[in-house]
Amino acid sequence: MDDPFIQIDRAEVSAALKLKERGAEQGTLELPPSSSETLDVVETEVAAFIQEHFGRAQIDAANSVRTYDSRLNGLSLIANLGSIRTQAKLAVGDFKAEVLVRRGRLTNSRDAISGSYGELRDFKNENGLKRPAHEAAAPISTYGTMAVCWLIETIANSMLLRLNDSMGYLGGVLAAAIVGAINVFVAGVAGRLLWPRKNLKDPTARTLAWIGITLWIIFTLVWNLMAAHYRDAKSLGIPHPETAALGMLGSGLDSLYSYGLVVAGIVFAITAAMAGYKMDDPYPGYGATATRHAKRCDDYVAEFEDAKHELTDIRDDAIEQATDVREELARQHAERQQILTAREAFRRRYDEYGTQLEAVANALLQEYRNANRAARSTPAPDRFETSWRLSRTPLPLPGGDDIPRSAIDAAEENLEAAVDEISTAFDEAIASFEPLDELKKRIADD
């Protein structure tokens, strides 16, 4: 900042004010009177000059001090040491609250797994199962197999069913698509809903399942024979080949191609039924029960990892923030001491400058008075022997209470204690979280 303490050249001021000449002139006139107790015109001019000069320096010095004080007020951590302890306690409390939330979630997931194990165990005991559930095929694999069966059957049938069709290949494709869709769809439903039920423990349910499978086999044979007779009827040019195909059931087929149509339909039906059968575990309900159990285990693992990562992030953030605050405290404390030292040095210079100006003023007055004494015949006023006093206003002291190093140390100890408490709570929380393998072992032992 600019230096407001401008040095005055006494000789230059004396010459500018013509103190010696005016002192001799006033003395010749026997002025000021011997009884005078106040400054005369020349003395007042000297005093006003010095006082005005000091006034400008005082304004600049006050602005400079406000700059120092503004920098002190900007040290927010130093100014709010008490809040550091409060914030540290809040951080510890928030972390412990998060630990409780995570424990509650894991407890719910753990209870779900315990219930899931009981459900799975009861299901296996009730149905006499000792094996693990078979892994289900991906839905895209099952539906893809069925779609391929339908597509191939449609392509093969369309070449045979196009004969004598008024729409040509388009009519053959439409007919083949309908025949193949019904054949594959019914087979897929039978494979998914009927075939697994033959594995049930209940004899009645198994009997009903075999009855259903038998009906599906009969339907498949009849449907594919009707498709073959439909092809024969079209090749012979018989009107209404659909109706004619019903009447031709029980009779032999007219062409090797028609036998191929029957065989292809049965093969594709069996393939679609097998794909439906393998969509899940062959024992009804076992796959769904095992899937629910696996999902609960996956949910627990995900919750466990999420809790661990979340608490780790909170702990690391707390440690990082505490470290940053401690470093910032040390920096602000060092900066505060530098500002206070510079401010105090500036204040001393201000006081010294006032004393210096006062001395300059008295020296200038003395030049005037000496010339006045030498020129006058009457005694000089007694006040010529007294010194003039500069009117001063002291600079304000720094605001706020002094902050000892012990207060900084106490704040740093609070931060360190908070970090230690959070780290301890973290270790206890992680130790209390039961990994899935340990949970499974405990449930199995129970």
Side-chain angles (χ1 to χ4, degrees):
M1 59 186 69
D2 295 335
D3 188 354
F5 308 125
I6 300 174
Q7 302 302 312
I8 295 178
D9 189 331
R10 192 180 73 184
E12 183 179 346
V13 174
S14 177
L17 295 178
K18 300 179 180 180
L19 295 180
K20 292 181 180 180
E21 293 85 347
R22 295 170 73 185
E25 182 181 347
Q26 288 290 88
T28 302
L29 297 174
E30 303 298 332
L31 295 175
S34 300
S35 60
S36 173
E37 297 181 356
T38 59
L39 300 178
D40 67 2
V41 175
V42 178
E43 291 174 310
T44 300
E45 189 175 343
V46 171
F49 174 80
I50 296 297
Q51 192 68 55
E52 181 182 359
H53 194 78
F54 181 72
R56 288 196 298 268
Q58 188 176 31
I59 292 173
D60 292 340
N63 291 333
S64 299
V65 166
R66 279 194 291 271
T67 301
Y68 282 119
D69 292 342
S70 176
R71 290 177 59 190
L72 287 173
N73 293 333
L75 304 177
S76 56
L77 287 180
I78 296 293
N80 297 281
L81 286 177
S83 67
I84 292 179
R85 180 179 182 181
T86 302
Q87 293 299 323
K89 288 184 176 180
L90 288 176
V92 173
D94 291 343
F95 183 83
K96 291 183 176 180
E98 183 65 22
V99 169
L100 291 177
V101 171
R102 294 295 175 172
R103 280 179 178 169
R105 293 179 181 176
L106 282 175
T107 297
N108 292 335
S109 297
R110 186 168 56 244
D111 293 343
I113 290 179
S114 298
S116 180
Y117 264 106
E119 179 187 18
L120 186 62
R121 183 172 51 247
D122 293 343
F123 186 91
K124 292 172 70 174
N125 291 336
E126 290 174 3
N127 295 281
L129 297 170
K130 296 183 179 180
R131 61 173 178 82
H134 293 173
E135 185 175 356
I140 190 172
S141 174
T142 300
Y143 296 125
T145 300
M146 293 181 181
V148 168
C149 289
W150 170 77
L151 181 62
I152 295 176
E153 184 175 359
T154 298
I155 294 173
N157 289 345
S158 63
M159 292 186 295
L160 301 176
L161 297 179
R162 66 181 177 82
L163 298 174
N164 294 324
D165 194 293
S166 60
M167 297 176 65
Y169 273 109
L170 179 59
V173 170
L174 291 176
I178 294 172
V179 170
I182 295 175
N183 186 49
V184 171
F185 175 76
V186 173
V189 172
R192 177 81 293 271
L193 301 180
L194 294 178
W195 284 23
R197 297 188 64 81
K198 67 182 177 55
N199 300 318
L200 288 172
K201 188 178 180 180
D202 183 16
T204 303
R206 286 203 308 271
T207 300
L208 292 176
W210 279 113
I211 292 173
I213 292 171
T214 302
L215 292 175
W216 166 72
I217 293 173
I218 294 172
F219 169 82
T220 301
L221 291 172
V222 171
W223 179 257
N224 283 281
L225 284 172
M226 283 183 63
H229 285 301
Y230 176 71
R231 183 260 174 193
D232 290 341
K234 290 190 70 175
S235 66
L236 295 174
I238 300 175
H240 305 293
E242 301 87 352
T243 305
L246 290 174
M248 297 170 67
L249 281 176
S251 61
L253 299 174
D254 292 341
S255 169
L256 181 63
Y257 294 111
S258 297
Y259 283 104
L261 191 64
V262 173
V263 173
I266 293 174
V267 170
F268 290 132
I270 294 174
T271 302
M274 291 180 63
Y277 182 70
K278 294 179 179 179
M279 284 183 69
D280 203 349
D281 188 273
Y283 197 92
Y286 192 21
T289 303
T291 299
R292 286 196 300 271
H293 175 69
K295 184 179 183 304
R296 288 165 183 163
C297 291
D298 292 341
D299 291 344
Y300 182 83
V301 171
E303 188 68 44
F304 182 93
E305 293 298 325
D306 185 56
K308 184 178 179 180
H309 291 157
E310 180 68 20
L311 294 180
T312 299
D313 290 343
I314 295 176
R315 181 202 61 181
D316 293 344
D317 288 344
I319 293 175
E320 181 179 357
Q321 291 178 12
T323 301
D324 291 343
V325 170
R326 291 178 65 181
E327 293 176 353
E328 183 65 14
L329 272 177
R331 187 194 68 79
Q332 289 192 13
H333 183 260
E335 184 176 352
R336 175 182 171 82
Q337 296 307 115
Q338 292 174 358
I339 295 173
L340 289 175
T341 300
R343 191 186 189 284
E344 179 58 24
F346 187 85
R347 189 187 64 80
R348 286 197 302 269
R349 287 186 63 198
Y350 172 79
D351 293 340
E352 293 169 357
Y353 185 64
T355 302
Q356 180 185 359
L357 287 181
E358 192 174 69
V360 170
N362 282 300
L364 292 172
L365 289 173
Q366 197 59 42
E367 287 187 24
Y368 168 77
R369 289 169 179 174
N370 288 340
N372 185 275
R373 284 193 189 97
R376 67 188 300 149
S377 59
T378 57
D382 292 339
R383 63 177 179 76
F384 272 22
E385 303 299 327
T386 61
S387 298
W388 176 78
R389 297 295 179 186
L390 178 67
S391 177
R392 309 188 198 184
T393 300
L395 293 178
L397 296 174
D401 298 330
D402 186 30
I403 300 175
R405 179 66 207 186
S406 58
I408 305 294
D409 295 338
E412 291 180 346
E413 290 174 0
N414 288 330
L415 289 171
E416 187 173 354
V419 169
D420 291 341
E421 193 168 353
I422 288 177
S423 297
T424 301
F426 173 82
D427 294 338
E428 292 176 351
I430 296 301
S432 67
F433 294 165
E434 192 173 14
L436 182 61
D437 54 348
E438 295 182 6
L439 175 61
K440 288 182 176 180
K441 184 176 181 301
R442 181 174 60 81
I443 294 175
D445 291 341
D446 293 344

